[in-house]
Amino acid sequence: MKAFLIGASVIFCLYSAQTSDVKKQEASIPKPDYREDTVVYGPQPPCYYSNAVSEYVRRVFQDSRGFLWFGTNSDGLALFDGYKLSYLTTSDGLSGSQVTGIMEDKQGKVWFSTNNGISRYDIAAGPGKSFRNFGEKEGLSDKSTWCIFQDSRGTIWAGTSRGLCRFNGETFEAFSLPNAQKSWIRAITEDRKGNLWFATADKGAFKFDGKNFLQLNTKDGLCSNNLTCILEDKHGYMWFGSMDNGISKYTPTGKGKKDFQTFNAQNGIGGNEVWTVYEDPKENIWFSCEGFGIYLYQNQKIYNYHEKQGLHMGAVQAFYQDKFGLMWIGGGGGLVRFTGDSFKIITREGPWDDGC
């Protein structure tokens, strides 16, 4: 085992797949006097461990065929088809090397948002024809895209760094949010009532019922206007993660600021930068916190998993539970699988076949 010192941070570089036993503890983490912020989204150190799937895994998704897709920060797509791991990059037709979003449409085609537009992948099209790409010439407000989503009506939406776009079946077209036409759209979701929600980087959140918009921001009690992610949980609560003030739990039926419960560096978690939130089938809420690993919200209590609990990953951007019930975690340093009892580092060689 070797250690790389980065500012005040110590990052372990592990040279083989490793399993760490989990020691769950209720979070009670004091805010540090300072924190090294250089290890965030860009290039990572040479390795956290050898032969990583990628130095930074941003997204994880399992399609209807059971294939696992891993969107990376610089290596395009890693694909595990049940037998082997392979890569799809710009040389194969993918629009960009940084993959920020993955979804499968109702026809079984897989869509990817990237730093250079949107790619649609059709495995049935054959070699050389699998990708169709969409950029500014095809109607996107900007080539830098951050999320891709299909709603229950079949409409596909894309969030770019300069506004929201909607797919008309052939090309994309701009779709304006009130007073946020050029806002950076980081996340899109749909609630149980069919309302669409959009997270912006400067104007908070917008709810769209098909006709009217409702904006939520800090004046209403939202943690921040600089949002990164949105989730509706199975109880109907909305969760909003932010770049600079933690995460808010929102009661949509309420009528005031008390409808928001915020967890941040002053209230329950180690920091303020939350990039992803996820609900597992047991109705547990998971979210990341930059520099502090991940948090579990369970039965109205918060638990932390980081180095002391066996997770050697401070910067997390992806959670995904596959059809076998295994939780995949992606972030700075690559890919980890959580079995409920341990965190297992996954390299390009796996292990892939122990129950997945």
Side-chain angles (χ1 to χ4, degrees):
M1 180 179 289
K2 296 183 179 180
F4 293 88
L5 294 177
I6 303 176
S9 301
V10 179
I11 299 175
F12 292 97
C13 184
L14 307 174
Y15 282 82
S16 62
Q18 172 178 310
T19 300
S20 298
D21 291 335
V22 172
K23 298 178 181 178
K24 180 178 171 182
Q25 69 175 27
E26 191 166 351
S28 179
I29 301 175
K31 183 179 179 181
D33 294 330
Y34 68 91
R35 179 162 60 90
E36 176 63 56
D37 284 326
T38 57
V39 185
V40 189
Y41 316 114
Q44 299 296 310
C47 65
Y48 285 171
Y49 51 89
S50 67
N51 212 16
V53 170
S54 179
E55 65 180 1
Y56 208 116
V57 174
R58 300 181 66 103
R59 293 291 181 265
V60 182
F61 180 76
Q62 188 172 38
D63 66 23
S64 58
R65 296 179 296 272
F67 294 179
L68 285 165
W69 297 87
F70 306 102
T72 77
N73 207 43
S74 58
D75 298 318
L77 290 160
L79 170 63
F80 181 67
D81 62 4
Y83 299 96
K84 66 180 186 306
L85 185 72
S86 59
Y87 288 80
L88 296 171
T89 68
T90 53
S91 62
D92 301 296
L94 182 66
S95 58
S97 58
Q98 182 187 67
V99 178
T100 56
I102 309 174
M103 75 93 179
E104 183 176 11
D105 68 21
K106 297 180 185 299
Q107 287 73 46
K109 297 175 183 177
V110 186
W111 296 67
F112 309 97
S113 55
T114 80
N115 61 316
N116 192 37
I118 299 290
S119 287
R120 185 179 69 189
Y121 182 79
D122 183 1
I123 194 170
K129 300 179 181 179
S130 298
F131 283 107
R132 180 182 176 186
N133 295 329
F134 303 86
E136 291 172 291
K137 291 182 179 179
E138 290 75 32
L140 289 175
S141 301
D142 194 272
K143 67 179 182 179
S144 177
T145 58
W146 285 82
C147 53
I148 186 77
F149 181 80
Q150 184 172 40
D151 65 29
S152 59
R153 301 170 184 84
T155 302
I156 292 174
W157 302 82
T160 81
S161 60
R162 297 181 69 246
L164 178 66
C165 296
R166 181 171 60 181
F167 189 58
N168 62 21
E170 287 296 327
T171 60
F172 283 89
E173 53 193 18
F175 186 90
S176 295
L177 298 176
N179 303 314
Q181 292 86 351
K182 297 299 181 182
S183 288
W184 182 358
I185 310 297
R186 288 203 182 109
I188 305 169
T189 195
E190 182 176 5
D191 66 26
R192 63 185 61 197
K193 296 180 179 179
N195 300 307
L196 291 170
W197 292 82
F198 308 101
T200 75
D202 61 344
K203 303 288 185 179
F206 289 85
K207 182 177 78 171
F208 179 55
D209 65 5
K211 294 182 180 180
N212 303 305
F213 291 92
L214 171 67
Q215 183 181 8
L216 295 175
N217 56 35
T218 52
K219 293 180 180 179
D220 303 298
L222 184 64
C223 58
S224 172
N225 292 332
N226 188 357
L227 298 179
T228 55
C229 53
I230 307 179
L231 168 77
E232 184 195 32
D233 69 23
K234 290 181 175 63
H235 297 282
Y237 297 110
M238 301 297 301
W239 295 78
F240 302 93
S242 76
M243 174 71 85
D244 54 10
N245 197 32
I247 187 168
S248 285
K249 178 185 178 184
Y250 170 62
T251 306
T253 56
K255 298 180 180 180
K257 288 188 177 182
K258 292 184 179 179
D259 307 327
F260 289 91
Q261 182 181 11
T262 294
F263 305 101
N264 55 27
Q266 288 74 43
N267 180 24
I269 63 175
N272 288 320
E273 192 172 328
V274 174
W275 267 96
T276 186
V277 58
Y278 182 81
E279 184 178 25
D280 68 27
K282 294 183 179 179
E283 302 180 2
N284 300 311
I285 304 298
W286 300 82
F287 59 91
S288 65
C289 185
E290 180 68 28
F292 294 90
I294 61 179
Y295 287 87
L296 167 64
Y297 181 82
Q298 184 181 62
N299 298 325
Q300 299 185 6
K301 292 185 178 181
I302 296 178
Y303 303 92
N304 179 235
Y305 296 95
H306 197 203
E307 289 184 356
K308 290 183 179 179
Q309 293 74 42
L311 177 65
H312 298 285
M313 185 181 289
V316 170
Q317 281 206 356
F319 297 101
Y320 192 87
Q321 190 160 6
D322 67 21
K323 63 182 181 180
F324 298 102
L326 298 175
M327 179 75 79
W328 300 83
I329 301 169
L335 185 65
V336 171
R337 197 170 64 222
F338 179 50
T339 65
D341 298 317
S342 64
F343 291 100
K344 181 172 291 186
I345 293 171
I346 307 299
T347 70
R348 296 190 183 198
E349 282 73 40
W352 303 102
D353 59 355
D354 51 346
C356 63

